[in-house]
Amino acid sequence: YPTPMSIWTRIAAALAALAKGEPLSVVFDHLTGAPDPERSVGFTIAVIALGAKLAKADGQVTKDEVSAFRRVFTLPKGEEKNAARVFNLARQDVAGFDAYAHKIAAMFTDKDHPDNRALFIDLIEGLFHIALADDILHEDEEAFLAHTAEIFGLDQRCFMSIRARLVEGGNRDPYDLLGIPHDASPEEIRAAWRQAVKDNHPDAM
């Protein structure tokens, strides 16, 4: 998820509003409905905030989780301090993670962005990687991810498919992996398998 340098300049300007004592979530609200590139600034802030809230979901933020965030959401060289400031402000913000999830959903479900399912799936997958940085998916982290997916409009079947693909250990339900119901016909199973092969082919990845 590379982010252009120009966005970070604008983020720094947006954060200047915090000198007035406004929480990060309010700064985001100032950007809601604004045209690009301000809209991109709001989205970037909200994604960082979600990552920060998730890292804190199990009660503590570890170095592994912070490192995972940097791997998943690529930061331009020299902009780590700005991203770290947003990350830390989000951890301190009284607004819950669901507030930021709703903000992202609202930004990308209007008439200009009618279908952003792939974007929302990518975000949930990225958040899963942060949650699994310590090799354990904690109960609170799973609840966080499931609720965020629900806010994004992803159904339970989609969420379980993502979970089955990314969470190691335990028995994996092949129907969950393919994202199909247990009463799917052989033709539906075959079609889902072919789509999974296509989506995960090295050339496509």
Side-chain angles (χ1 to χ4, degrees):
Y1 302 86
T3 308
M5 280 282 240
S6 58
I7 285 181
W8 291 97
T9 302
R10 294 182 176 93
I11 285 178
L15 292 180
L18 291 172
K20 303 173 184 177
E22 294 179 326
L24 184 63
S25 52
V26 173
V27 172
F28 177 93
D29 288 337
H30 292 328
L31 302 168
T32 301
D36 284 326
E38 284 71 21
R39 188 186 183 101
S40 298
V41 171
F43 175 71
T44 304
I45 288 175
V47 169
I48 294 174
L50 267 185
K53 295 289 187 182
L54 174 60
K56 192 179 178 182
D58 60 356
Q60 59 180 345
V61 179
T62 67
K63 290 182 179 180
D64 288 338
E65 289 168 330
V66 174
S67 296
F69 179 88
R70 289 177 175 172
R71 287 196 304 273
V72 173
F73 302 104
T74 306
L75 301 176
K77 188 175 181 180
E79 295 296 344
E80 291 86 354
K81 287 185 178 179
N82 280 329
R85 186 180 177 198
V86 176
F87 193 91
N88 290 325
L89 287 169
R91 284 192 298 162
Q92 300 161 14
D93 194 350
V94 294
F97 74 88
D98 51 342
Y100 286 100
H102 278 295
K103 292 175 191 297
I104 291 175
M107 288 181 74
F108 291 91
T109 52
D110 58 23
K111 59 182 176 61
D112 296 323
H113 303 80
D115 184 13
N116 281 279
R117 180 180 171 85
L119 168 68
F120 292 141
I121 290 175
D122 280 348
L123 279 175
I124 293 296
E125 289 179 347
L127 293 171
F128 255 106
H129 284 293
I130 295 170
L132 294 168
D134 57 359
D135 298 323
I136 300 172
L137 181 63
H138 296 273
E139 184 178 333
D140 289 341
E141 291 173 330
E142 182 164 3
F144 176 114
L145 291 164
H147 188 40
T148 301
E150 182 182 0
I151 292 172
F152 287 168
L154 303 177
D155 59 25
Q156 179 71 5
R157 186 176 299 159
C158 179
F159 176 76
M160 292 305 295
S161 176
I162 296 171
R163 187 189 189 286
R165 285 187 285 106
L166 299 180
V167 180
E168 298 286 348
N171 295 322
R172 290 180 172 179
D173 188 319
Y175 290 90
D176 284 342
L177 279 167
L178 292 176
I180 55 176
H182 284 75
D183 60 355
S185 67
E187 291 75 20
E188 290 172 322
I189 295 171
R190 239 177 251 113
W193 177 80
R194 289 196 189 101
Q195 187 62 47
V197 170
K198 180 180 178 181
D199 291 343
N200 293 281
H201 190 280
D203 289 345
M205 300 293 281

